């Protein structure tokens, strides 16, 4: 639908035939896939992996021996690929659908009329409208410019806005800092910088992820170990007199398969994909997948006041008149005022109406004034205008009748000790937004502007608090996450808003008063800041990062772009400007500040659970490697068939690891992921390997062949199962009922496998030697005691007493959280049902 009409014959824009011709010529703004990889690329990436290649080679070799049961591990290739493909496709669908909702829709002028279109509908030579906060989405040439300034910091790194005039070239990726204009598209689609920026911002990848980098280091190390271990295992089997090539292949496969952490990569990518999906259900768009990892490390949230703690919309409260000498008048105009108006009242009202009529893109403050007072029916001719910017803190218009009117922050436009400034401070201390209307002595675009300002009135606006802001601040306080409120508004007003939400605001700081030498200390020690410029917001983020903090920055306006870009985690509101949404790593499409706790919790869940999973898989890799080395050193046959290590890998490591990657986990993220995993996995794997091999050597009888030859491997497998099961029992802590079931059910399954004749025949076991089984049990328990002691030692060394059971407070908090989620779900269902009832029934043909 058309938005507005324009009559300038020089910039009418394309007609329908011209648009159609350009589409046929391939000159449309075709964008790259929002989620990076196509379906085909996703399938190939999940099938042709290093893990699948290793398992595939071993599977082919085992199949050549004719031992089908020992090739059961080949199912892992299929499972890994299918699960990975499904999860990534689900994440891709979520990203694509949310990107459509959150995508900026530019205004395009065609045949003199303005239309709001999707970005893909733009064609070469289209005329696009540029308003404050809009991102330039295609390269172009300015055809109109009214006090237009572009911020090109995303392109050049320079934060100072650049003035643009008609005829100037502009690049996509920059955004409008102030003023308005129109530009003709000269480069669209993949040829424009914006397309490349979008592709990088929305790519579904784990690039630049410390977690993934650590896992990749582990995998590369294991890959290099596999080759020599495989060769040495072959040599060792030949050296002990094994001449049957089938037996050698099965021994080598039995040694190598458990060394491959086949589920670690799958579970890691699945956890990230599920994070995208879960956050997507809360209307949270993850522009960069590694952002989920960054969520877990956040310990400081810098929250913009407007749009985050308060609603974007303001409500007009009153017009406090000022006398000609700047003193307060006795009366005020209110929204419900009636009766005759004085000359001073008429002057203030008319000036506001004229400013409103001259403003092509009113902000929230001007919109509230327009709603209460209206727009001039007979507008004055405009000579020049100065748009509002966060750096200036005021806007103004000079008219051809010689009047220069300004509207902005009282502490900027009025003298420090003036009655108007003092009254504004008093009102701001109650959480109100106060603007000053005055007449300037010079033109608003003059270098000395605004010059001497004659105050006429104070405009008081109400700020509506977001209902979810208070509980969100309370959550962050409970999780040891600092919240710093950073705003361009009056510091006292910002502090009052923060305190009304239950936050300990301390002494609000006016950013203009901070000395350079005190900057870092003040930023780190204070909680609430007012009169902050965009460049200062950026400097605050840098100061916090310098102190070792991981910083999340929320914002919705053009003044937040630089800080969002530099923060470890930029969070934009869905209703904010297109520029903020494009640079943010996460976009809250429904503008709910209360979504942020879920965002942080999801990051902690992913990172903490993957650390657990990595400990399990590394333990398996370590004990498998050590077993292979011990077999070689002692010149004995490898004790296990591939099927033995397959069932252990599935039921003690693989399936439990997958389930442990899913639940909530509020553990605060810590650095040195690889170090902690290695510190636990290496000694645990060593304990399991030594226990299993010791059992094998104690009960092994070289004279036993045939059925009796499986007794020693069975006892060794029992010791291995007991030790590795205790690793699972330790990693799963703190316990809940389902975690206990996760540990006990595999043990019950092992009991059946070890005692039923049919399962023993299938899995090549022999548990008839009770003495051997007793030795395996006792040595396995010794390994379990060592692993238990290791867990306590590492926990205490880490500075906290390890928890065995989930604390009562945490269980109660989880119960309340589940109840809230259920109530939210039921509310959404009721809203959907009511919406369907309200939809009109189509008329019958």
């Amino acid at each position: 639908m058309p938005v507005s009409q324009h009559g300038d014959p020089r910039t009418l824009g394309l007609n329908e035939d011209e648009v159609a011709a350009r589409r046929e010529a391939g000159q449309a703004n075709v964008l790259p896939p929002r989620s990076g990889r196509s379906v085909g690329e996703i399938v190939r990436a999940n099938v042709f992996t290093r893990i699948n290649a290793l398992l595939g080679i071993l599977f082919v070799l085992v199949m050549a021996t004719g031992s089908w049961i020992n090739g059961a591990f080949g199912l892992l290739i299929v499972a890994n690929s299918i699960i990975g493909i499904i999860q990534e496709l689900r994440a891709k669908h979520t990203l694509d659908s949310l990107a459509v909702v959150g995508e900026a829709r530019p205004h395009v002028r065609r045949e003199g009329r303005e239309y709001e279109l999707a970005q893909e509908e733009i064609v070469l030579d289209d005329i696009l409208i540029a308003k404050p906060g809009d991102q330039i989405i295609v390269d172009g040439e300015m055809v109109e410019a009214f006090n237009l300034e572009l911020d090109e910091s995303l392109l050049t790194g320079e934060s100072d806005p650049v003035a643009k005039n008609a005829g100037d070239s502009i690049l996509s990726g920059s955004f409008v800092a102030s003023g308005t204009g129109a530009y003709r598209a000269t480069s669209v689609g993949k040829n424009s910088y914006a397309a490349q920026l979008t592709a990088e911002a929305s790519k579904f990848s784990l690039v630049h992820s410390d977690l993934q980098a650590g896992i990749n280091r582990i995998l590369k190390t294991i890959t290099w170990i596999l080759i020599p271990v495989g060769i040495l295992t072959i040599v060792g089997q030949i050296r002990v007199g094994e001449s049957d090539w089938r037996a050698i292949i099965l021994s080598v496969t039995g040694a190598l398969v458990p060394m491959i952490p086949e589920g670690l990569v799958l579970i890691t990518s699945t956890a990230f994909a599920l994070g995208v999906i879960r956050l997507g259900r809360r209307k949270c768009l993850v522009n960069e997948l590694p952002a989920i990892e960054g969520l877990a490390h956040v310990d400081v949230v810098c929250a913009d006041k407007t749009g985050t703690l308060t609603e974007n919309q303001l409500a007009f409260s009153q017009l406090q008149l000022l006398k000609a000498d700047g003193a307060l008048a006795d009366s005020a105009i209110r929204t419900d005022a009636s009766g005759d108006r004085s000359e001073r009242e008429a002057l203030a009202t008319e000036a506001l109406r004229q400013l409103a009529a001259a403003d092509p893109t009113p902000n929230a403050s001007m919109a509230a004034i327009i709603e209460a007072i209206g727009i001039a029916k007979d507008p004055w001719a405009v000579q020049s205008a100065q748009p509002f910017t966060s750096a200036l803190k005021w806007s103004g218009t000079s008219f051809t009748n010689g009047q220069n009117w300004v509207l902005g922050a009282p502490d900027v436009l009025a003298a420090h000790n003036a009655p108007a400034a003092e009254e504004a401070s008093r009102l701001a201390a109650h959480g109100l937004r106060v603007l000053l209307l005055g007449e300037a002595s010079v033109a608003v675009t003059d270098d000395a502007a605004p010059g001497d300002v004659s105050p006429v009135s104070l405009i008081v606006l109400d700020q509506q608090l977001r209902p979810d802001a208070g509980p969100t601040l309370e959550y962050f306080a409970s999780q040891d996450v600092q919240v710093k409120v950073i705003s361009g508004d009056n510091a006292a007003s910002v502090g009052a808003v923060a305190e009304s939400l239950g936050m300990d605001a301390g002494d609000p700081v006016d950013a203009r008063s901070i000395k350079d030498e005190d900057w870092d200390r003040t930023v780190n020690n204070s909680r609430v800041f007012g009169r902050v410029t965009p460049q200062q917001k950026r400097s605050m983020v840098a100061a916090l990062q310098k102190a070792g903090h991981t910083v999340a920055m929320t914002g919705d306006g053009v003044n937040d772009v630089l800080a969002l870009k530099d923060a470890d985690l930029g969070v934009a509101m869905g209703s904010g400007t297109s520029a903020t949404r494009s640079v943010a790593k996460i976009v809250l499409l429904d503008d709910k500040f209360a979504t942020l706790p879920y965002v942080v919790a999801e990051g902690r869940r992913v990172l903490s659970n993957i650390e657990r999973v990595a400990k399990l898989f590394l333990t398996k890799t370590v004990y498998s490697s050590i077993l292979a080395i011990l077999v070689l050193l002692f010149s004995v046959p490898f004790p296990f068939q591939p099927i033995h290590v397959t069932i252990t890998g599935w039921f003690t490591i693989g399936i439990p690891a997958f389930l442990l990657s899913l639940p909530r986990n509020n553990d605060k993220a810590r650095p040195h992921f690889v170090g902690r995993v290695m510190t636990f996995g290496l000694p645990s794997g060593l304990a399991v390997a030594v226990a299993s091999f010791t059992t094998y050597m104690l009960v092994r009888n070289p004279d036993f062949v045939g059925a009796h030859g499986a007794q020693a491997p069975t006892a060794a497998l029992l010791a291995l199962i007991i030790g590795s099961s205790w690793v699972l029992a330790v990693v799963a802590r703190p316990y809940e009922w389902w975690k206990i079931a996760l540990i006990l059910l595999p043990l019950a399954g092992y009991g059946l496998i070890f005692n039923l004749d049919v399962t023993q025949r299938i899995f090549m076991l022999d548990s008839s030697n009770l003495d051997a089984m007793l030795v395996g049990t006792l040595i396995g328990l010794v390994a379990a005691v060592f692993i238990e002691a290791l867990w306590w030692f590492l926990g205490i060394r880490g500075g906290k007493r390890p928890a065995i059971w989930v604390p009562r407070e945490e269980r109660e908090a989880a119960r309340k959280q589940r109840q809230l989620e259920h109530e939210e779900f039921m509310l959404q269902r009721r809203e959907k049902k009511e919406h369907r009832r309200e939809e009109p029934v189509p008329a019958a043909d």
Side-chain angles (χ1 to χ4, degrees), residues 198-238:
T198 302
E200 287 300 317
S202 301
K203 187 174 292 183
F204 183 92
S205 67
L206 295 177
V207 180
H208 308 306
S209 163
D210 292 336
L211 176 64
Q212 187 68 8
I215 291 174
N216 283 337
R217 287 200 301 271
I218 295 173
L219 290 177
K220 287 180 180 179
T221 303
I222 292 171
T223 302
W224 285 109
I225 292 175
L226 282 173
I227 297 173
V229 168
I231 295 172
L232 292 175
T233 303
I234 294 174
V235 173
Q237 296 306 299
I238 295 174

Side-chain angles (χ1 to χ4, degrees), residues 325-533:
D325 59 0
L328 296 176
D330 296 332
S331 62
I333 299 176
R334 299 182 181 274
T335 54
D336 58 350
S338 60
D340 296 333
R341 302 182 177 216
S342 67
E343 181 180 346
R344 198 74 175 166
E345 292 171 341
L347 175 65
T349 305
E350 182 62 23
L352 288 173
R353 287 174 175 169
Q354 292 294 341
L355 287 174
D359 190 345
T361 55
N363 57 21
S365 299
M366 183 57 74
I369 293 171
I370 292 173
E371 184 177 355
I373 297 179
I375 299 178
K377 296 180 180 179
D378 185 17
W380 300 337
V382 175
Q383 181 178 354
S384 60
Q386 172 58 60
F388 176 86
T389 65
S390 296
L392 287 177
K393 308 295 184 189
W394 61 271
S395 62
T397 304
S398 293
F399 299 95
T400 55
N401 60 10
Q403 298 186 40
N404 306 303
W405 288 96
V406 292
L407 180 68
D411 49 353
V412 173
L413 296 176
H416 177 64
N417 295 323
E422 293 179 353
E423 175 65 9
S425 297
R426 185 187 69 80
L427 293 169
H430 292 84
L432 299 169
R433 175 176 288 189
V434 185
L435 302 176
L436 183 142
L437 172 69
E439 192 166 6
S441 60
V442 297
V444 295
T445 54
D446 191 279
D447 291 339
D452 295 328
V453 177
S454 300
V456 175
S457 68
L458 295 175
I459 296 92
V460 184
L461 305 172
D462 283 330
Q463 304 178 101
Q464 185 176 353
L465 298 176
R466 285 189 178 274
D468 54 5
T472 303
L473 294 176
E474 183 180 348
Y475 166 84
F476 283 133
S478 70
Q479 297 296 313
D480 297 326
V481 176
Q482 298 182 51
V483 176
K484 295 184 182 291
V485 184
I486 301 175
S487 174
D489 285 354
N490 178 277
S493 176
V494 180
V497 169
E499 288 183 350
S500 67
L501 293 170
M503 178 180 173
D504 181 9
D507 294 327
V509 177
D510 190 318
R512 296 171 300 181
S513 66
I514 307 176
K515 298 179 180 179
D516 292 343
E517 59 270 21
D518 297 331
W519 181 262
D520 289 359
R521 179 182 56 81
T522 304
V523 169
N524 281 279
N525 294 339
S526 302
R527 299 184 183 91
V528 174
F529 302 87
R531 294 300 182 220
V532 185
T533 65

